[in-house]
Amino acid sequence: MKVVTAKYLDDYKIEIIFDDKKRNVINFLPALKKYATCKKYLDITLFKKFKVDSGNIVWGNNWEMIFKIEDLYENKLPKVGHCTTNV
């Protein structure tokens, strides 16, 4: 499974469309609040700067924040350790 498109909606919600046409609206706010590695993205300006890269939704240069694709697909955020940073 891969993310095909992602569209910012409002607040911390993003609509994600997968390669099998499944659509999820995901509220990332609980994960951003829960994990120290994600708190930087509570700045809505930074949060809105996501991109789809290699079939996933990522933030920052070098995939600074990324969530497991399986969790995005199942719309089951947050889960321990699924918000990570590469810095």
Side-chain angles (χ1 to χ4, degrees):
M1 80 195 74
K2 296 191 302 186
V3 172
V4 177
T5 60
K7 178 178 142 186
Y8 175 76
L9 298 176
D10 61 18
D11 295 322
Y12 296 91
K13 295 177 186 151
I14 297 174
E15 178 185 53
I16 297 176
I17 301 173
F18 297 89
D19 58 351
D20 66 355
K21 310 288 190 248
K22 181 175 181 171
R23 294 174 183 256
N24 282 341
V25 173
I26 299 175
N27 180 4
F28 288 89
L29 186 58
L32 297 177
K33 286 182 173 180
K34 185 172 182 175
Y35 302 111
T37 56
C38 299
K39 289 191 188 237
K40 160 182 173 175
Y41 290 97
L42 285 170
D43 177 334
I44 198 73
T45 304
L46 290 176
F47 179 78
K48 289 179 179 181
K49 292 183 179 181
F50 63 86
K51 62 185 173 188
V52 174
D53 190 355
S54 299
N56 209 325
I57 182 171
V58 299
W59 287 260
N61 298 328
N62 302 316
W63 295 25
E64 187 174 270
M65 183 171 75
I66 185 171
F67 293 84
K68 283 190 168 186
I69 191 80
E70 295 86 358
D71 289 342
L72 297 175
Y73 191 83
E74 295 299 323
N75 201 355
K76 293 184 178 180
L77 294 181
K79 288 193 175 188
V80 174
H82 291 186
C83 176
T84 60
T85 60
N86 292 328
V87 288

